[in-house]
DNA sequence: TTGCAACACATGAAGTTTCATATAATATGC
DNA sequence: GCATATTATATGAAACTTCATGTGTTGCAA
């Protein structure tokens, strides 16, 4: 008798209806379909997100970029250093504010990411092909609304006292 | 003149309509609302996912658990060792197959996670309160369908040749 | 002006994750 | 039975991320 093949446990039943889990699983699944393209380009998923976000040539500060790619600021600082050494991005001081570092894509980074942007759009169309356009639009609207809570919540959290804590971060994405 | 405050760049425009990004951002935002509870309990998000998945008492193999919590197998193996040392889970050999290790929650793990399961449900209700129930049901249905692609794709990928690659993983979740 | 608070990023140490591969057990074909 | 392929997990080394804090710059009130 194989007890592991018994009906889903309470735990599995819980996570199968729990929104964060469904979001993570959907994200993981969609990402897995695109991961081979990233591997072929020699990019980690967070590097891809950085280059995709910087695409178009305007620079972002370290802090802005960290927020955009859903990473902690030290993580982004170190990643940008690595990507700069690889020639994919360029760091510049901000004339307007000496505390800030601006990050720009380089020609090399742009060349690397341009075909990936096109492939990403095609991959998204494939992933969503089974759903009516109205459902996709509604899905994206709800996801945007859910995602919009983060900046507001972060602003409220920043106003409160900071306290040391066990790690509960790393909810980042592909 | 602050060029960083110009209209959104092409890159930001792209990621703001790109499904994986919207999924990740929504996941991140919803997770951030729950993260303080996890910190208070002394749990990292991946530990929480393990305990939530194991809740109900049936064991899972290392491989099954890795798939459920969207982590690589070595990651899960090491995490389970750490959690076993902390007394939160228990490892057992599988009589049916000597290669396998089964993982069960302990009484201590159960006591830690039970209030969090209740809090997680309450948090989810709060996160979704602004949306009609029909929209929430539709959202979850689409997310489940998107998430279901992963096991099928993994099975197909496993049939193909394996090749070394730069890291393109770590699309995991809270 | 000056002192101090707040902001932005950098960095060291520690923890976590991944890659590549080793080891052990099981399945399969002959 | 035996050899080989496959499966499942463990492990070392390396890479990546986070925490806590340091350093430098700007903003603001007196």
């Amino acid at each position: 008798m194989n007890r592991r093949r018994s009906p889903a446990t309470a735990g599995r039943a819980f996570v199968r209806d729990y929104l964060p889990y469904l979001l993570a699983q959907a994200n993981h699944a969609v990402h897995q379909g695109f991961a081979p393209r990233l591997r072929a380009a020699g990019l980690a998923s967070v590097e891809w997100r950085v280059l995709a976000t910087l695409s178009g040539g305007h620079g972002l500060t370290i802090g802005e970029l960290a927020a955009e790619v859903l990473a902690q600021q030290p993580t982004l600082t170190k990643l940008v250093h690595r990507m700069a050494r690889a020639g994919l991005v360029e760091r510049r001081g901000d004339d307007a504010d000496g505390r800030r570092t601006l990050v720009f894509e380089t020609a090399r980074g742009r060349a690397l990411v341009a075909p990936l942007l096109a492939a990403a759009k095609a991959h998204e169309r494939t992933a969503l092909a089974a759903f009516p356009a109205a459902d996709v639009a509604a899905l994206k609207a709800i996801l945007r609304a859910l995602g919009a809570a983060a900046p507001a919540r972060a602003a409220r959290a920043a106003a409160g006292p900071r306290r040391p804590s066990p790690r509960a971060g790393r909810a980042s994405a592909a």
Side-chain angles (χ1 to χ4, degrees), chain A:
Chain A
M1 180 263 287
N2 193 335
R3 294 181 65 202
R4 281 180 291 102
R5 296 190 192 283
S6 67
T9 65
R12 290 176 111 170
F14 166 79
V15 299
R16 288 214 158 99
D17 192 56
Y18 182 52
L19 179 67
Y21 182 82
L22 294 173
L23 286 167
Q25 192 179 40
N27 183 46
H28 183 81
V30 173
H31 173 70
Q32 274 197 311
F34 193 61
R37 285 301 303 256
L38 296 181
R39 276 191 205 96
L43 287 177
S45 61
V46 65
E47 290 169 325
W48 146 243
R49 290 175 68 90
V50 165
L51 289 176
T53 302
L54 292 176
S55 173
H58 290 306
L60 293 171
T61 66
I62 291 281
E64 287 167 342
L65 197 48
E68 290 281 339
V69 305
L70 308 175
Q72 303 282 349
Q73 174 262 314
T75 300
L76 219 287
T77 293
K78 300 186 196 237
L79 176 67
V80 163
H81 276 290
R82 295 200 299 277
M83 292 180 76
R85 287 199 294 273
L88 298 177
V89 300
E90 177 188 7
R91 294 162 46 94
R92 299 182 200 164
D94 185 348
D95 289 340
D97 188 328
R99 294 172 292 186
R100 296 173 177 227
T101 297
L102 294 172
V103 188
F104 296 85
E105 66 180 348
T106 59
R108 182 176 170 195
R110 189 180 308 124
L112 191 60
V113 81
L116 289 172
L117 290 168
K121 284 182 190 267
H123 171 68
E124 183 193 28
R125 280 197 297 273
T126 300
L128 293 171
F131 306 100
D135 287 359
V136 172
L139 169 70
K140 288 190 171 182
I142 298 185
L143 291 177
R144 281 195 195 94
L146 287 169
R153 184 176 294 114
R156 289 200 294 275
R162 316 251 218 81
R163 48 172 65 93
S165 58
R167 303 166 187 275
R170 199 171 278 188
S172 57

